[in-house]
Amino acid sequence: MKEVNQQFDVASQFVSILEKDDNLSPGIAAIKTLLMVLEKTKFDTVQEFHSTIQASVGAMRKTDKPMTSVVSGTELFSRFITLAKFDDKTMDEVREIMLSRGKMFLTKLLESRNVIAKQAITFISEGCRILTHARSRTVREALILAAQNNKRFHVFVTHSAPDRHGEQMVAELEKAGIDCTLILDTAVGYVMETVDMVLVGAEGVVESGGIINRIGTVTMAICAREMKKPFYVLVESFKFCRLYPLNQRDLPNEYKYNQKNLKDTAKVHPMVDYTPPGYITLLFTDLGILAPSAVSDELIKLYL
C-alpha cells in the first residue's frame, strides 16, 4: 500500500472538516477527505489506489462520528471514480481522471439537498402542522425553502436526548422565521394526533427501503402509522447502503454506537435505530420521489 503523505492525518482531517462546517454530513466530509488523499498521494498501480482508499476509510471509521453515511458514501465514491476507462493511461493520468470524476461526484452531492427540498415543499400546505425528529439538515433546508416561498406552517421538533439536537434545530428554524415548538421525546404520541405529517431525515437507507436514523425514529414511525399520518423521509442517494436488516439487532454495532463504546454495548443506548419500510410513506431523494419498494432498484443502478 502506498503511504499517504505523513503530514496528512486522515482521521484528524475528517474530524476537522466536520467541525469547521456543521452543515456537512459525515458522508460528505468523508468524500472530501478521500479527495484530499487522492491529491496528496501518488500511486504506481490501481491496486495501490484501492488499498490506500480502504485504509483511509478504515481510519475514518475509527473516529467517534456517525458511520452509516461514511460507509455508503465512500463506497459510491470509489465506485464512481473508477468507472472511467484507464486503458493506455499512465498512473498520473489515471489519478487526474479520478480526481476530476471525484470532484464532479462531490459537486452533484452538494446539490442534493436543494433538489430534495424543492420536491418536498410541494407537500407542505399552507397552515399545516409538521412533526420532525432531532436535527436533520435536509429537513431543515426543505422547511426554510418552504418559508421562503411564503408558506406558513408550524413545526414540532423533538428534544432528541441525550444530544439535544432538537434545541439547535428549533433555533435555526426560528431564525428563518418559522414557528416552532420544542417537545419532549416522550410527547410524540400526544402531539401526533394534532399534526398533518411527519418529516424526518436519515443517516442511511437500506435495500428494503427502510431507514437508519437517530434513535427514536422507529417509535415515531409506528405512532404515525397507528394514527394514519404520512411519514416522509428526506434523504440523499449517497446514503443508500447495501444492507438488509430484518430487525434492530441486524444493524452493525459500529453504526449504532460510538467507537469508544463498542467494547461494552450492554450499558449504553444506541445512537440510531432501524425503521422498516412498511412504516414509510415516501422517500424524497435527489433521484426522485420513491416508494420504499423502489430503493432496491435504485441501488442496483447506482452500483452498475
Side-chain angles (χ1 to χ4, degrees), residues 189-203:
Y190 180 85
V191 170
M192 186 67 72
E193 65 183 19
T194 73
V195 303
D196 299 294
M197 71 180 75
V198 179
L199 295 182
V200 300
E203 293 190 17

Side-chain angles (χ1 to χ4, degrees), residues 17-31:
I17 290 172
L18 279 172
E19 290 176 347
K20 288 178 181 177
D21 189 349
D22 188 48
N23 284 321
L24 288 181
S25 76
I28 294 290
I31 290 168

Side-chain angles (χ1 to χ4, degrees), residues 70-304:
V70 171
V71 175
S72 60
T74 53
E75 282 184 357
L76 275 173
F77 173 82
S78 299
R79 174 67 177 158
F80 183 80
I81 67 174
T82 55
L83 282 176
K85 293 182 178 180
F86 299 135
D87 299 342
D88 303 321
K89 303 287 185 185
T90 67
M91 279 310 298
D92 282 342
E93 290 172 330
V94 168
R95 181 166 162 271
E96 288 304 315
I97 291 170
M98 288 181 176
L99 269 172
S100 176
R101 289 182 64 82
K103 290 174 181 176
M104 184 192 313
F105 183 71
L106 178 61
T107 299
K108 182 180 178 181
L109 296 189
L110 291 173
E111 295 170 354
S112 296
R113 285 184 194 158
N114 187 48
V115 173
I116 295 167
K118 288 178 179 177
Q119 294 172 349
I121 64 170
T122 61
F123 283 68
I124 299 175
S125 58
E126 181 72 16
C128 73
R129 295 158 67 88
I130 299 166
L131 174 61
T132 191
H133 186 38
R135 177 181 178 252
S136 162
R137 300 171 184 87
T138 310
V139 170
R140 181 193 62 196
E141 187 156 327
L143 294 173
I144 290 175
L145 183 62
Q148 290 172 345
N149 279 265
N150 299 317
K151 291 189 176 184
R152 291 173 296 176
F153 50 90
H154 192 93
V155 183
F156 294 90
V157 184
T158 55
H159 189 272
S160 187
D163 299 322
R164 300 163 64 176
H165 285 169
E167 293 181 8
Q168 186 177 354
M169 181 71 157
V170 166
E172 292 167 345
L173 293 178
E174 288 183 338
K175 185 177 180 180
I178 298 170
D179 290 333
C180 297
T181 301
L182 183 68
I183 67 169
L184 295 171
D185 296 345
T186 49
V188 165
Y190 180 85
V191 170
M192 186 67 72
E193 65 183 19
T194 73
V195 303
D196 299 294
M197 71 180 75
V198 179
L199 295 182
V200 300
E203 293 190 17
V205 181
V206 301
E207 292 183 45
S208 65
I211 63 168
I212 302 168
N213 195 44
R214 171 72 56 173
I215 189 73
T217 302
V218 67
T219 307
M220 186 177 285
I222 292 170
C223 189
R225 176 69 177 272
E226 183 64 25
M227 296 191 181
K228 297 180 174 54
K229 307 292 183 177
F231 188 90
Y232 299 131
V233 180
L234 280 59
V235 60
E236 305 96 315
S237 61
F238 76 85
K239 294 180 179 178
F240 285 22
C241 48
R242 293 183 290 183
L243 284 175
Y244 205 107
L246 299 177
N247 51 46
Q248 307 298 333
R249 294 182 300 279
D250 282 346
L251 291 182
N253 277 350
E254 71 167 329
Y255 290 6
K256 293 191 287 188
Y257 303 101
N258 282 328
Q259 187 70 25
K260 63 183 179 181
N261 293 327
L262 282 177
K263 292 182 180 179
D264 186 10
T265 60
K267 296 183 179 180
V268 293
H269 69 80
M271 298 183 296
V272 301
D273 57 30
Y274 165 61
T275 302
Y279 296 110
I280 298 169
T281 308
L282 290 171
L283 297 105
F284 295 84
T285 80
D286 46 299
L287 303 177
I289 301 174
L290 306 176
S293 59
V295 169
S296 59
D297 289 339
E298 294 300 329
L299 256 171
I300 291 171
K301 294 176 188 176
L302 287 171
Y303 282 95
L304 276 177

